[in-house]
Amino acid sequence: MQNNKYDLNKISNREALIGVGLAIFNFIWWYAFAYGLGSKDPEEYKFIFGLPDWFFYSCVVGFIVMVALVIIVVKAFFVEIPFEDEDEEGAN
């Protein structure tokens, strides 16, 4: 049965597209820093906390940015959907 209050397919498709968008953003972030800064000669690398700058920005900062983005997106755009049928609750 389709719940009139929630269009479950529309909501799930929107949230799936948001998740794919976040994954694509994560890959672009990682690729841009890893291959942008990492394509230099190793003697030219700068180090941050003992890590090459390309690794620090692509993996460490990228992870922190993605965690923050996921938290923001989940709180702002995702909808809590009840999974139990209302008909079953009324019958009991």
Side-chain angles (χ1 to χ4, degrees):
M1 283 185 234
Q2 181 66 30
N3 190 342
N4 293 333
K5 189 174 178 182
Y6 299 102
D7 186 4
L8 299 179
N9 288 330
K10 184 177 177 182
I11 292 170
S12 62
N13 286 338
R14 181 178 66 96
E15 291 179 359
L17 287 174
I18 291 171
V20 169
L22 285 171
I24 290 171
F25 175 78
N26 186 29
F27 179 77
I28 291 171
W29 177 286
W30 173 82
Y31 189 86
F33 280 107
Y35 287 99
L37 294 175
S39 61
K40 298 184 289 188
D41 188 32
E43 282 93 31
E44 297 177 18
Y45 289 164
K46 295 178 179 130
F47 291 89
I48 301 171
F49 297 119
L51 301 169
D53 59 351
W54 64 267
F55 182 85
F56 181 78
Y57 290 123
S58 66
C59 295
V60 177
V61 175
F63 173 75
I64 295 168
V65 167
M66 285 307 299
V67 167
L69 280 176
V70 167
I71 290 170
I72 291 167
V73 165
V74 166
K75 288 186 180 276
F77 297 108
F78 282 26
V79 178
E80 186 172 346
I81 300 171
F83 289 111
E84 46 295 319
D85 290 335
E86 290 180 10
D87 294 338
E88 291 178 8
E89 289 179 5
N92 292 334

